[in-house]
Amino acid sequence: MTSSSIDTEEKLALGRKILNFKLPFRKDLLYDNKITFGFEIEFCYARFLQVRDEIDEQNLANWKAYNEPTVQVKDKYDRTRGGEVISPILRGKNPNWNELEKICDLIKFCLGEVNDKTAGHIHIGSQIFKNDKQKLTNFLLLWAIFEDTIKQFFYGEFIQGDFFNRLAPDCQEEFSVANYDFEKLQELRNNKPRDLKFYSVNFKDYKSPYEEKNNTVEFRAICGTLEPEIWQNNLNFLIHFIDWTNNITAKDLEIIKNQSFLNSHNQTENKFDKALFLANSIFTKEIDKMCFLKQYFKDFYQKDATIERVKLINH
C-alpha cells in the first residue's frame, strides 16, 4: 500500500500509532553475512582516556576510543573532554548488538553526552553495490529525490539537525550536476578543494568489490546519539535503502518520478506522503516501517530550538 492510497482518517490513525510507538532494541536484527559495516560514535564532556580504560575493563578491546578535536572542550583542570569510539568491522549475521549497547552505556557512565557538535558516522562495505554502475546510478538518483526525508530521519532524537550541514552538506545538487553518474561524480569531487570525505555520502574509500579492508561508503549526515536503538535504526534504514536501489526496475523509477508529492505545493502533506511512500517501498516488515516512521516524525513536534530532543525509546 502506498501513501497515496490511504485517506485522511487512515493517516490520522497511523499518526496516533506512531506517536505511541517506541523504538525497540532488536537483538535479532541480522543481514547477509557479506554485508559489513561499522560505527563512529562521537561524544562530548566525557574524558576519552576514561572511556578507553572502561572499554579495556569491559573486554571490548576491538572497539577503540580516540581524540576527536571537533567535539573536545577543556575542563577546569585543563583535561581534554570529548572524543569518539570506533567499532571493529561488523558482519551482517553476527553484528553483536550487545557490544553496541555496552559501548553506549559505557560512554554515558563516563558522563558522555551528545550535543550540536557531535555526529554519528556509519561505514558500509562498498561490496554492497557489487561494483555495478546502474546500481550506483539508481542510488544517487533516489538519494537525491529523498534526501530531505533521509535528513530528517537522521536527525534521530533531535527535532532539528541542520547544524550538521557544516560537515556534511547535502548531495542533491551535486548528484544532479553529475547526471547521477558515479564516475563523473568522483571526477567532480576530485577537482574540488574540499576534503573528499566531507560529504554526507562519502565515496572517498570506495574501491573494488574484492577488497574488504578500508573499502567503504561513509554516511556522515547523522546526528550524534548514545542510544543503541537509534544506531540500529540508522543502519537498518541504510541497508534496506541500498538493497531497494540495487533492485529497483526502470518502470518503478518512472513511477517514483511521477509521484504527486514531488510536484504538489502542500508541504505538510508532501512530507507525510513522501516518508510513508519511502517506508512502504524499502521495507516489507511492519516493525521496520514503524521504526523508520517514528524516528522520522518524532512526536510530530516542530520547535525552533535546534538541540531540542524527543525521547524515542522506552528507557
Side-chain angles (χ1 to χ4, degrees), residues 36-52:
T36 58
F37 53 90
F39 302 110
E40 296 179 10
I41 305 173
E42 293 182 357
F43 58 88
C44 57
Y45 305 132
R47 292 178 59 221
F48 101 89
L49 292 174
Q50 182 185 3
V51 172
R52 185 189 66 185

Side-chain angles (χ1 to χ4, degrees), residues 11-208:
K11 288 180 180 178
L12 289 171
L14 177 59
R16 288 190 290 270
K17 186 177 178 181
I18 293 168
L19 193 62
N20 293 323
F21 184 81
K22 297 296 181 184
L23 297 182
F25 184 64
R26 304 171 66 184
K27 293 186 178 182
D28 60 345
L29 197 59
L30 303 174
Y31 307 101
D32 189 301
N33 214 40
K34 293 179 182 178
I35 295 175
T36 58
F37 53 90
F39 302 110
E40 296 179 10
I41 305 173
E42 293 182 357
F43 58 88
C44 57
Y45 305 132
R47 292 178 59 221
F48 101 89
L49 292 174
Q50 182 185 3
V51 172
R52 185 189 66 185
D53 291 344
E54 285 292 330
I55 288 173
D56 291 340
E57 183 75 20
Q58 295 194 29
N59 297 316
L60 297 166
N62 287 330
W63 295 71
K64 304 295 182 184
Y66 296 96
N67 273 310
E68 175 47 59
T70 62
V71 301
Q72 288 178 348
V73 295
K74 293 281 189 177
D75 66 15
K76 62 181 180 180
Y77 303 107
D78 201 37
R79 295 178 301 190
T80 298
R81 293 183 176 271
E84 70 175 344
V85 174
I86 298 179
S87 76
I89 296 174
L90 304 172
R91 293 190 172 276
K93 283 192 176 178
N94 186 28
N96 202 339
W97 295 124
N98 288 333
E99 288 193 354
L100 173 64
E101 185 176 34
K102 287 179 181 178
I103 288 293
C104 290
D105 288 344
L106 176 156
I107 296 172
K108 293 177 191 174
F109 173 78
C110 295
L111 305 182
E113 298 180 24
V114 294
N115 62 11
D116 61 337
K117 290 185 172 62
T118 53
H121 303 152
I122 293 178
H123 290 257
I124 296 180
S126 301
Q127 300 86 353
I128 197 169
F129 290 105
K130 302 177 183 177
N131 206 31
D132 186 302
K133 184 175 181 180
Q134 186 59 53
K135 295 184 192 307
L136 286 162
T137 293
N138 292 346
F139 171 83
L140 297 177
L141 174 61
L142 289 164
W143 185 279
I145 289 174
F146 290 98
E147 185 169 45
D148 56 337
T149 304
I150 295 168
K151 276 177 55 181
Q152 183 165 320
F153 169 77
F154 278 154
Y155 291 165
E157 61 209 281
F158 289 89
I159 294 175
Q160 298 288 338
D162 287 335
F163 43 83
F164 283 104
N165 283 354
R166 66 185 186 275
L167 288 181
D170 294 351
C171 292
Q172 182 181 32
E173 182 177 351
E174 186 188 37
F175 289 178
S176 177
V177 170
N179 199 28
Y180 312 106
D181 182 285
F182 180 70
E183 292 179 359
K184 188 173 182 180
L185 174 67
Q186 292 294 72
E187 183 181 331
L188 287 171
R189 288 186 170 182
N190 283 328
N191 290 328
K192 287 185 176 181
R194 174 187 290 274
D195 188 316
L196 283 176
K197 78 174 185 177
F198 290 133
Y199 293 91
S200 59
V201 183
N202 166 25
F203 291 105
K204 183 177 181 180
D205 292 325
Y206 183 94
K207 302 184 184 73
S208 159

